[in-house]
Amino acid sequence: MKISVLGCGRWGSCIAWYLDKIGHDVLSCGLPDAPEFIQLKTHHCNDYLVFPETIEVSADLGYAVNRAEVIVISISSQYLRSYFQEIAQYALEGKTIVLCMKGVEATTGKRLSEIVGEFVDESKTPVAVWVGPGHPQDYVKGIPNCMVIDSNNREVKERLVKAFTSELIRFYIGKDLIGSEIGAAAKNVIGIAAGILDGLGYTSLKGGLMARGAQEIARLIEALGGNKMSAFGLCHLGDYEATLFSPWSHNRRYGEAFAKGQKFDKLAEGVMTSKALCKLGVEHNVDLPIVGAVYRALFEHASINDEIQQLFLRSVKDEF
């Protein structure tokens, strides 16, 4: 299968490496002036992995789109709309778009597949999402994991799961696109909350955070028309180890640095996603206490300790 992976960051480079490893014809495409692209183009490696010679590296977006049967996109979620405006200039009919990032558009509250759906006819250019746990640092060591591919098109997601599954990644067929996307995006916000707890020395509270965070996101998924049980699957709860505990998690590390008053320069998708989820919570009348606490700490300079105290002082409720 001819696949072009658009985006040369940590996850994009890992996807290209993985898809080549299992036998696909892969091109890795990035922005010509981006440091991560320059590193891959010049040295055929980055801080995480080494590309085999079988992977082509190019900055020619038109060439990357035109050659591909499947276009995998792995960039910062908040830039998807502007990036897709460029992609949409090329002929996309008959191709499949696979989104491998986790976020919600902060300005509109739209899921990423909804953004792409504004540019393509999904009956001719189907859209899928690839979500779930895993880090490049583990995959390159041969440590396996499980992930999910979801789409509104049953045939497409079945075909992708069959084509992408290997001994390194076991894929499952998602059955709830809304839940898969919201759950995957929201776990990054919970990851920031986990990092804040680590930074404060409250790591033992992460068990409670996991239990209540999953319940909170389940309510939002249901209000948006999805299956609340998706929050307890691989897209969300199943990704908690990689996001709330792993030393590789950018969102957890961002939260820990924030709590300690330190700077963290890597991309943490949960920052803007907290803003987007708060917007959705207000629009759909869903109480999101943990997401709201993260948002207020990040954007309104609220005291972290005050926010935690307020969570504990909330009115008594049944657990379920």
Side-chain angles (χ1 to χ4, degrees):
M1 184 181 287
K2 280 187 173 291
I3 302 174
S4 289
V5 180
L6 311 183
C8 289
R10 179 175 66 156
W11 187 225
S13 62
C14 181
I15 292 166
W17 171 86
Y18 171 74
L19 293 174
D20 170 86
K21 179 180 175 66
I22 63 173
H24 296 288
D25 181 354
V26 178
L27 177 141
S28 175
C29 181
L31 300 175
D33 56 350
E36 59 266 25
F37 171 79
I38 295 170
Q39 188 177 17
L40 283 174
K41 182 67 174 176
T42 305
H43 304 291
H44 235 58
C45 67
N46 59 22
D47 296 341
Y48 310 103
L49 47 78
V50 176
F51 271 2
E53 291 303 318
T54 46
I55 297 179
E56 184 177 1
V57 181
S58 173
D60 187 336
L61 181 61
Y63 169 64
V65 170
N66 291 332
R67 71 176 288 280
E69 301 168 66
V70 174
I71 299 169
V72 178
I73 305 176
S74 179
I75 63 170
S76 171
S77 61
Q78 301 304 320
Y79 293 106
L80 178 61
R81 182 179 295 278
S82 59
Y83 191 45
F84 214 89
Q85 288 173 345
E86 296 183 50
I87 297 170
Q89 297 174 22
Y90 305 101
L92 297 175
E93 187 172 331
K95 302 179 187 296
T96 300
I97 309 294
V98 181
L99 303 175
C100 290
M101 60 271 240
K102 302 166 183 177
V104 178
E105 190 171 46
T107 55
T108 65
K110 288 192 174 183
R111 293 177 286 115
L112 304 184
S113 69
E114 291 181 300
I115 296 171
V116 176
E118 295 179 16
F119 295 92
V120 301
D121 179 347
E122 292 190 52
S123 66
K124 299 176 181 177
T125 308
V127 180
V129 300
W130 171 344
V131 298
H135 288 294
Q137 294 93 330
D138 292 329
Y139 283 129
V140 296
K141 294 177 183 176
I143 301 172
N145 218 318
C146 302
M147 303 190 83
V148 174
I149 291 178
D150 211 338
S151 173
N152 286 324
N153 186 314
R154 177 80 189 186
E155 184 276 328
V156 165
K157 58 188 172 185
E158 288 180 350
R159 173 166 55 87
L160 291 172
V161 164
K162 184 177 180 180
F164 291 177
T165 290
S166 73
E167 293 180 354
L168 189 56
I169 303 180
R170 173 179 170 82
F171 282 96
Y172 287 83
I173 300 168
K175 297 181 68 177
D176 174 26
L177 185 58
I178 293 173
S180 291
E181 289 192 88
I182 294 297
K187 64 93 188 179
N188 287 329
V189 182
I190 306 300
I192 291 176
I196 289 173
L197 294 179
D198 285 336
L200 295 174
Y202 294 168
T203 298
S204 60
L205 255 179
K206 289 203 286 190
L209 173 67
M210 292 168 67
R212 298 316 304 165
Q215 287 284 345
E216 182 171 318
I217 302 309
R219 292 196 299 269
L220 179 60
I221 290 172
E222 186 174 41
L224 293 172
N227 182 348
K228 65 181 180 181
M229 292 306 297
S230 292
F232 304 97
L234 287 166
C235 74
H236 188 75
L237 182 60
D239 207 350
Y240 271 11
E241 188 283 328
T243 308
L244 277 65
F245 293 92
S246 172
W248 313 124
S249 170
H250 283 182
N251 289 284
R252 190 205 63 78
R253 290 170 62 195
Y254 179 95
E256 183 175 7
F258 182 83
K260 293 178 176 179
Q262 300 170 352
K263 191 173 182 180
F264 182 73
D265 293 326
K266 303 286 188 180
L267 173 66
E269 290 277 20
V271 174
M272 295 307 294
T273 299
S274 70
K275 186 175 184 179
L277 295 186
C278 282
K279 176 181 176 66
L280 290 175
V282 170
E283 290 176 352
H284 295 271
N285 195 29
V286 179
D287 187 23
L288 302 173
I290 297 170
V291 171
V294 170
Y295 170 78
R296 287 187 293 274
L298 298 183
F299 289 95
E300 297 180 353
H301 308 293
S303 163
I304 297 172
N305 284 307
D306 286 351
E307 289 297 330
I308 292 174
Q309 185 178 32
Q310 288 305 312
L311 288 173
F312 273 84
L313 293 176
R314 283 163 49 81
S315 60
V316 175
K317 296 178 173 63
D318 291 334
E319 182 180 12
F320 300 107

PDB file of all heavy atoms in Angstrom, residues 108-111 114 178 182 219-226 276-288:
ATOM      1  N   THR A 108     -13.582  26.276  17.747  1.00  0.00           N
ATOM      2  CA  THR A 108     -14.918  25.828  17.333  1.00  0.00           C
ATOM      3  C   THR A 108     -15.460  24.670  18.163  1.00  0.00           C
ATOM      4  O   THR A 108     -16.665  24.418  18.151  1.00  0.00           O
ATOM      5  CB  THR A 108     -14.903  25.372  15.864  1.00  0.00           C
ATOM      6  OG1 THR A 108     -14.061  24.203  15.751  1.00  0.00           O
ATOM      7  CG2 THR A 108     -14.391  26.474  14.951  1.00  0.00           C
ATOM      8  N   GLY A 109     -14.586  23.941  18.860  1.00  0.00           N
ATOM      9  CA  GLY A 109     -15.021  22.740  19.571  1.00  0.00           C
ATOM     10  C   GLY A 109     -15.248  21.561  18.649  1.00  0.00           C
ATOM     11  O   GLY A 109     -15.828  20.549  19.062  1.00  0.00           O
ATOM     12  N   LYS A 110     -14.794  21.655  17.417  1.00  0.00           N
ATOM     13  CA  LYS A 110     -15.020  20.568  16.443  1.00  0.00           C
ATOM     14  C   LYS A 110     -13.977  19.472  16.583  1.00  0.00           C
ATOM     15  O   LYS A 110     -12.804  19.732  16.843  1.00  0.00           O
ATOM     16  CB  LYS A 110     -15.006  21.109  15.018  1.00  0.00           C
ATOM     17  CG  LYS A 110     -16.243  21.937  14.683  1.00  0.00           C
ATOM     18  CD  LYS A 110     -16.342  22.210  13.193  1.00  0.00           C
ATOM     19  CE  LYS A 110     -17.677  22.910  12.877  1.00  0.00           C
ATOM     20  NZ  LYS A 110     -17.839  23.118  11.427  1.00  0.00           N
ATOM     21  N   ARG A 111     -14.455  18.228  16.391  1.00  0.00           N
ATOM     22  CA  ARG A 111     -13.539  17.107  16.321  1.00  0.00           C
ATOM     23  C   ARG A 111     -12.731  17.198  15.024  1.00  0.00           C
ATOM     24  O   ARG A 111     -13.141  17.830  14.061  1.00  0.00           O
ATOM     25  CB  ARG A 111     -14.319  15.800  16.363  1.00  0.00           C
ATOM     26  CG  ARG A 111     -15.000  15.551  17.694  1.00  0.00           C
ATOM     27  CD  ARG A 111     -15.837  14.278  17.676  1.00  0.00           C
ATOM     28  NE  ARG A 111     -17.062  14.448  16.912  1.00  0.00           N
ATOM     29  CZ  ARG A 111     -17.354  13.815  15.797  1.00  0.00           C
ATOM     30  NH1 ARG A 111     -16.491  12.962  15.266  1.00  0.00           N
ATOM     31  NH2 ARG A 111     -18.498  14.029  15.182  1.00  0.00           N
ATOM     32  N   GLU A 114     -14.365  16.137  11.836  1.00  0.00           N
ATOM     33  CA  GLU A 114     -15.357  17.118  11.381  1.00  0.00           C
ATOM     34  C   GLU A 114     -14.688  18.225  10.575  1.00  0.00           C
ATOM     35  O   GLU A 114     -15.258  18.716   9.593  1.00  0.00           O
ATOM     36  CB  GLU A 114     -16.091  17.715  12.576  1.00  0.00           C
ATOM     37  CG  GLU A 114     -17.007  16.755  13.296  1.00  0.00           C
ATOM     38  CD  GLU A 114     -17.719  17.409  14.464  1.00  0.00           C
ATOM     39  OE1 GLU A 114     -17.037  17.898  15.386  1.00  0.00           O
ATOM     40  OE2 GLU A 114     -18.964  17.442  14.458  1.00  0.00           O
ATOM     41  N   ILE A 178     -17.282   9.463  17.543  1.00  0.00           N
ATOM     42  CA  ILE A 178     -17.363  10.587  18.483  1.00  0.00           C
ATOM     43  C   ILE A 178     -16.579  10.260  19.754  1.00  0.00           C
ATOM     44  O   ILE A 178     -15.723  11.020  20.204  1.00  0.00           O
ATOM     45  CB  ILE A 178     -18.827  10.921  18.831  1.00  0.00           C
ATOM     46  CG1 ILE A 178     -19.561  11.475  17.603  1.00  0.00           C
ATOM     47  CG2 ILE A 178     -18.889  11.920  19.988  1.00  0.00           C
ATOM     48  CD1 ILE A 178     -21.055  11.665  17.815  1.00  0.00           C
ATOM     49  N   ILE A 182     -13.168  12.187  21.041  1.00  0.00           N
ATOM     50  CA  ILE A 182     -13.249  12.977  22.271  1.00  0.00           C
ATOM     51  C   ILE A 182     -12.440  12.314  23.375  1.00  0.00           C
ATOM     52  O   ILE A 182     -11.697  12.972  24.120  1.00  0.00           O
ATOM     53  CB  ILE A 182     -14.715  13.157  22.703  1.00  0.00           C
ATOM     54  CG1 ILE A 182     -15.479  14.011  21.679  1.00  0.00           C
ATOM     55  CG2 ILE A 182     -14.783  13.807  24.087  1.00  0.00           C
ATOM     56  CD1 ILE A 182     -14.967  15.431  21.533  1.00  0.00           C
ATOM     57  N   ARG A 219     -19.436  11.303  30.435  1.00  0.00           N
ATOM     58  CA  ARG A 219     -20.621  12.167  30.391  1.00  0.00           C
ATOM     59  C   ARG A 219     -20.591  13.070  29.163  1.00  0.00           C
ATOM     60  O   ARG A 219     -21.614  13.283  28.503  1.00  0.00           O
ATOM     61  CB  ARG A 219     -20.705  13.029  31.658  1.00  0.00           C
ATOM     62  CG  ARG A 219     -20.978  12.278  32.934  1.00  0.00           C
ATOM     63  CD  ARG A 219     -21.425  13.221  34.046  1.00  0.00           C
ATOM     64  NE  ARG A 219     -20.423  14.221  34.380  1.00  0.00           N
ATOM     65  CZ  ARG A 219     -19.495  14.068  35.317  1.00  0.00           C
ATOM     66  NH1 ARG A 219     -19.419  12.935  36.002  1.00  0.00           N
ATOM     67  NH2 ARG A 219     -18.626  15.036  35.581  1.00  0.00           N
ATOM     68  N   LEU A 220     -19.425  13.603  28.851  1.00  0.00           N
ATOM     69  CA  LEU A 220     -19.317  14.490  27.701  1.00  0.00           C
ATOM     70  C   LEU A 220     -19.534  13.728  26.405  1.00  0.00           C
ATOM     71  O   LEU A 220     -20.261  14.200  25.516  1.00  0.00           O
ATOM     72  CB  LEU A 220     -17.936  15.163  27.687  1.00  0.00           C
ATOM     73  CG  LEU A 220     -17.672  16.112  26.512  1.00  0.00           C
ATOM     74  CD1 LEU A 220     -18.677  17.255  26.492  1.00  0.00           C
ATOM     75  CD2 LEU A 220     -16.246  16.646  26.572  1.00  0.00           C
ATOM     76  N   ILE A 221     -18.930  12.568  26.283  1.00  0.00           N
ATOM     77  CA  ILE A 221     -19.106  11.751  25.069  1.00  0.00           C
ATOM     78  C   ILE A 221     -20.584  11.448  24.843  1.00  0.00           C
ATOM     79  O   ILE A 221     -21.096  11.577  23.726  1.00  0.00           O
ATOM     80  CB  ILE A 221     -18.294  10.446  25.175  1.00  0.00           C
ATOM     81  CG1 ILE A 221     -16.790  10.741  25.078  1.00  0.00           C
ATOM     82  CG2 ILE A 221     -18.710   9.442  24.096  1.00  0.00           C
ATOM     83  CD1 ILE A 221     -15.901   9.544  25.364  1.00  0.00           C
ATOM     84  N   GLU A 222     -21.272  11.064  25.908  1.00  0.00           N
ATOM     85  CA  GLU A 222     -22.695  10.741  25.792  1.00  0.00           C
ATOM     86  C   GLU A 222     -23.502  11.968  25.370  1.00  0.00           C
ATOM     87  O   GLU A 222     -24.395  11.880  24.512  1.00  0.00           O
ATOM     88  CB  GLU A 222     -23.210  10.189  27.116  1.00  0.00           C
ATOM     89  CG  GLU A 222     -24.644   9.678  27.049  1.00  0.00           C
ATOM     90  CD  GLU A 222     -25.062   9.002  28.328  1.00  0.00           C
ATOM     91  OE1 GLU A 222     -24.723   9.514  29.431  1.00  0.00           O
ATOM     92  OE2 GLU A 222     -25.728   7.947  28.261  1.00  0.00           O
ATOM     93  N   ALA A 223     -23.196  13.119  25.938  1.00  0.00           N
ATOM     94  CA  ALA A 223     -23.918  14.347  25.596  1.00  0.00           C
ATOM     95  C   ALA A 223     -23.705  14.739  24.140  1.00  0.00           C
ATOM     96  O   ALA A 223     -24.584  15.347  23.518  1.00  0.00           O
ATOM     97  CB  ALA A 223     -23.476  15.486  26.509  1.00  0.00           C
ATOM     98  N   LEU A 224     -22.555  14.374  23.580  1.00  0.00           N
ATOM     99  CA  LEU A 224     -22.249  14.703  22.183  1.00  0.00           C
ATOM    100  C   LEU A 224     -22.837  13.692  21.197  1.00  0.00           C
ATOM    101  O   LEU A 224     -22.693  13.855  19.990  1.00  0.00           O
ATOM    102  CB  LEU A 224     -20.734  14.789  21.992  1.00  0.00           C
ATOM    103  CG  LEU A 224     -20.031  15.945  22.713  1.00  0.00           C
ATOM    104  CD1 LEU A 224     -18.521  15.799  22.612  1.00  0.00           C
ATOM    105  CD2 LEU A 224     -20.479  17.282  22.144  1.00  0.00           C
ATOM    106  N   GLY A 225     -23.465  12.635  21.734  1.00  0.00           N
ATOM    107  CA  GLY A 225     -24.088  11.645  20.856  1.00  0.00           C
ATOM    108  C   GLY A 225     -23.295  10.368  20.706  1.00  0.00           C
ATOM    109  O   GLY A 225     -23.655   9.501  19.901  1.00  0.00           O
ATOM    110  N   GLY A 226     -22.204  10.224  21.474  1.00  0.00           N
ATOM    111  CA  GLY A 226     -21.396   9.018  21.398  1.00  0.00           C
ATOM    112  C   GLY A 226     -21.784   8.015  22.473  1.00  0.00           C
ATOM    113  O   GLY A 226     -22.726   8.218  23.234  1.00  0.00           O
ATOM    114  N   ALA A 276     -11.004  23.762  24.526  1.00  0.00           N
ATOM    115  CA  ALA A 276     -12.044  23.261  23.630  1.00  0.00           C
ATOM    116  C   ALA A 276     -13.089  22.453  24.390  1.00  0.00           C
ATOM    117  O   ALA A 276     -14.297  22.590  24.148  1.00  0.00           O
ATOM    118  CB  ALA A 276     -11.411  22.402  22.532  1.00  0.00           C
ATOM    119  N   LEU A 277     -12.646  21.618  25.323  1.00  0.00           N
ATOM    120  CA  LEU A 277     -13.590  20.787  26.077  1.00  0.00           C
ATOM    121  C   LEU A 277     -14.461  21.627  27.000  1.00  0.00           C
ATOM    122  O   LEU A 277     -15.643  21.324  27.196  1.00  0.00           O
ATOM    123  CB  LEU A 277     -12.839  19.726  26.877  1.00  0.00           C
ATOM    124  CG  LEU A 277     -12.089  18.665  26.073  1.00  0.00           C
ATOM    125  CD1 LEU A 277     -11.510  17.608  27.006  1.00  0.00           C
ATOM    126  CD2 LEU A 277     -12.977  18.002  25.029  1.00  0.00           C
ATOM    127  N   CYS A 278     -13.897  22.676  27.581  1.00  0.00           N
ATOM    128  CA  CYS A 278     -14.719  23.578  28.404  1.00  0.00           C
ATOM    129  C   CYS A 278     -15.815  24.212  27.561  1.00  0.00           C
ATOM    130  O   CYS A 278     -16.957  24.360  28.015  1.00  0.00           O
ATOM    131  CB  CYS A 278     -13.843  24.643  29.049  1.00  0.00           C
ATOM    132  SG  CYS A 278     -12.922  24.074  30.488  1.00  0.00           S
ATOM    133  N   LYS A 279     -15.474  24.577  26.342  1.00  0.00           N
ATOM    134  CA  LYS A 279     -16.457  25.147  25.420  1.00  0.00           C
ATOM    135  C   LYS A 279     -17.588  24.147  25.159  1.00  0.00           C
ATOM    136  O   LYS A 279     -18.780  24.496  25.208  1.00  0.00           O
ATOM    137  CB  LYS A 279     -15.773  25.534  24.115  1.00  0.00           C
ATOM    138  CG  LYS A 279     -16.697  26.054  23.007  1.00  0.00           C
ATOM    139  CD  LYS A 279     -15.894  26.387  21.755  1.00  0.00           C
ATOM    140  CE  LYS A 279     -16.793  26.806  20.603  1.00  0.00           C
ATOM    141  NZ  LYS A 279     -17.490  28.071  20.879  1.00  0.00           N
ATOM    142  N   LEU A 280     -17.214  22.893  24.898  1.00  0.00           N
ATOM    143  CA  LEU A 280     -18.216  21.853  24.653  1.00  0.00           C
ATOM    144  C   LEU A 280     -19.049  21.588  25.905  1.00  0.00           C
ATOM    145  O   LEU A 280     -20.259  21.359  25.814  1.00  0.00           O
ATOM    146  CB  LEU A 280     -17.535  20.566  24.194  1.00  0.00           C
ATOM    147  CG  LEU A 280     -16.922  20.575  22.796  1.00  0.00           C
ATOM    148  CD1 LEU A 280     -16.170  19.269  22.536  1.00  0.00           C
ATOM    149  CD2 LEU A 280     -17.997  20.783  21.732  1.00  0.00           C
ATOM    150  N   GLY A 281     -18.402  21.616  27.069  1.00  0.00           N
ATOM    151  CA  GLY A 281     -19.137  21.396  28.307  1.00  0.00           C
ATOM    152  C   GLY A 281     -20.218  22.434  28.533  1.00  0.00           C
ATOM    153  O   GLY A 281     -21.344  22.109  28.929  1.00  0.00           O
ATOM    154  N   VAL A 282     -19.883  23.696  28.268  1.00  0.00           N
ATOM    155  CA  VAL A 282     -20.861  24.772  28.414  1.00  0.00           C
ATOM    156  C   VAL A 282     -21.986  24.613  27.388  1.00  0.00           C
ATOM    157  O   VAL A 282     -23.173  24.716  27.720  1.00  0.00           O
ATOM    158  CB  VAL A 282     -20.175  26.147  28.258  1.00  0.00           C
ATOM    159  CG1 VAL A 282     -21.215  27.261  28.168  1.00  0.00           C
ATOM    160  CG2 VAL A 282     -19.222  26.400  29.411  1.00  0.00           C
ATOM    161  N   GLU A 283     -21.632  24.354  26.146  1.00  0.00           N
ATOM    162  CA  GLU A 283     -22.627  24.243  25.068  1.00  0.00           C
ATOM    163  C   GLU A 283     -23.588  23.084  25.288  1.00  0.00           C
ATOM    164  O   GLU A 283     -24.758  23.161  24.905  1.00  0.00           O
ATOM    165  CB  GLU A 283     -21.917  24.075  23.719  1.00  0.00           C
ATOM    166  CG  GLU A 283     -21.189  25.328  23.258  1.00  0.00           C
ATOM    167  CD  GLU A 283     -20.422  25.104  21.966  1.00  0.00           C
ATOM    168  OE1 GLU A 283     -20.339  23.946  21.509  1.00  0.00           O
ATOM    169  OE2 GLU A 283     -19.893  26.099  21.426  1.00  0.00           O
ATOM    170  N   HIS A 284     -23.109  22.005  25.899  1.00  0.00           N
ATOM    171  CA  HIS A 284     -23.937  20.807  26.069  1.00  0.00           C
ATOM    172  C   HIS A 284     -24.338  20.569  27.527  1.00  0.00           C
ATOM    173  O   HIS A 284     -24.859  19.495  27.857  1.00  0.00           O
ATOM    174  CB  HIS A 284     -23.198  19.583  25.504  1.00  0.00           C
ATOM    175  CG  HIS A 284     -22.982  19.660  24.025  1.00  0.00           C
ATOM    176  ND1 HIS A 284     -23.897  19.184  23.112  1.00  0.00           N
ATOM    177  CD2 HIS A 284     -21.958  20.187  23.299  1.00  0.00           C
ATOM    178  CE1 HIS A 284     -23.435  19.396  21.883  1.00  0.00           C
ATOM    179  NE2 HIS A 284     -22.285  20.005  21.959  1.00  0.00           N
ATOM    180  N   ASN A 285     -24.092  21.565  28.367  1.00  0.00           N
ATOM    181  CA  ASN A 285     -24.518  21.527  29.767  1.00  0.00           C
ATOM    182  C   ASN A 285     -23.982  20.289  30.488  1.00  0.00           C
ATOM    183  O   ASN A 285     -24.721  19.564  31.175  1.00  0.00           O
ATOM    184  CB  ASN A 285     -26.046  21.566  29.869  1.00  0.00           C
ATOM    185  CG  ASN A 285     -26.517  21.903  31.278  1.00  0.00           C
ATOM    186  OD1 ASN A 285     -25.833  22.601  32.024  1.00  0.00           O
ATOM    187  ND2 ASN A 285     -27.690  21.391  31.645  1.00  0.00           N
ATOM    188  N   VAL A 286     -22.687  20.039  30.326  1.00  0.00           N
ATOM    189  CA  VAL A 286     -22.032  18.903  30.976  1.00  0.00           C
ATOM    190  C   VAL A 286     -21.036  19.433  32.005  1.00  0.00           C
ATOM    191  O   VAL A 286     -20.196  20.278  31.692  1.00  0.00           O
ATOM    192  CB  VAL A 286     -21.291  18.023  29.945  1.00  0.00           C
ATOM    193  CG1 VAL A 286     -20.601  16.853  30.647  1.00  0.00           C
ATOM    194  CG2 VAL A 286     -22.254  17.510  28.889  1.00  0.00           C
ATOM    195  N   ASP A 287     -21.125  18.927  33.213  1.00  0.00           N
ATOM    196  CA  ASP A 287     -20.217  19.341  34.276  1.00  0.00           C
ATOM    197  C   ASP A 287     -18.865  18.653  34.077  1.00  0.00           C
ATOM    198  O   ASP A 287     -18.775  17.418  34.055  1.00  0.00           O
ATOM    199  CB  ASP A 287     -20.820  18.946  35.627  1.00  0.00           C
ATOM    200  CG  ASP A 287     -20.025  19.491  36.805  1.00  0.00           C
ATOM    201  OD1 ASP A 287     -19.305  20.492  36.624  1.00  0.00           O
ATOM    202  OD2 ASP A 287     -20.138  18.916  37.911  1.00  0.00           O
ATOM    203  N   LEU A 288     -17.805  19.445  33.937  1.00  0.00           N
ATOM    204  CA  LEU A 288     -16.460  18.914  33.721  1.00  0.00           C
ATOM    205  C   LEU A 288     -15.511  19.504  34.774  1.00  0.00           C
ATOM    206  O   LEU A 288     -14.688  20.363  34.467  1.00  0.00           O
ATOM    207  CB  LEU A 288     -15.967  19.268  32.310  1.00  0.00           C
ATOM    208  CG  LEU A 288     -16.814  18.788  31.124  1.00  0.00           C
ATOM    209  CD1 LEU A 288     -16.277  19.377  29.822  1.00  0.00           C
ATOM    210  CD2 LEU A 288     -16.811  17.264  31.056  1.00  0.00           C
TER     211      LEU A 288
END
